[in-house]
Amino acid sequence: MKRSIRVLFAVAMLACAASASAYDFTVVNSSSSAITGVLASEDGSTWGSFKLSGPIKPGGKLQLVWSPETDSSNCEWQVKATYADGSESEPAPFDFCEKDLELEFAD
């Protein structure tokens, strides 16, 4: 089963968390399987992972923050998710310098 990612530029209706970074984004799981990992690559071949507090259940959301080590990197990265059922999404490019960025992973 192929999985896809959609970008939603959310309009913030609630105040952002006090610890929000200029380089944060929200992962939205609209798939039928829990997300167990979120991977990012600047070059499309070397992948790093975000530390999740636990699986993102279907219908769930989680805010992730870039490591300060990436502050001098490019804004455009490839991103993909891994799922509890063993599958992973296709990589998709995103501009992580965009404000209020939401990445929606769907079936």
Side-chain angles (χ1 to χ4, degrees), residues 54-74:
I56 306 169
K57 295 179 183 179
K61 292 183 178 185
L62 182 65
Q63 184 178 13
L64 296 176
V65 178
W66 285 101
S67 168
E69 296 170 358
T70 64
D71 285 355
S72 62
S73 68
N74 292 323

Side-chain angles (χ1 to χ4, degrees), residues 17-25 63 65-66 71:
S19 64
S21 163
Y23 300 104
D24 64 349
F25 62 99
Q63 184 178 13
V65 178
W66 285 101
D71 285 355

Side-chain angles (χ1 to χ4, degrees), residues 13-31:
M13 298 185 74
L14 300 173
C16 294
S19 64
S21 163
Y23 300 104
D24 64 349
F25 62 99
T26 302
V27 174
V28 179
N29 186 358
S30 295
S31 76

Side-chain angles (χ1 to χ4, degrees), residues 1-2 8 21 28 33 46 49 65-66 74 95:
M1 171 188 309
K2 289 206 175 190
L8 301 174
S21 163
V28 179
S33 184
T46 304
S49 61
V65 178
W66 285 101
N74 292 323
D95 182 346

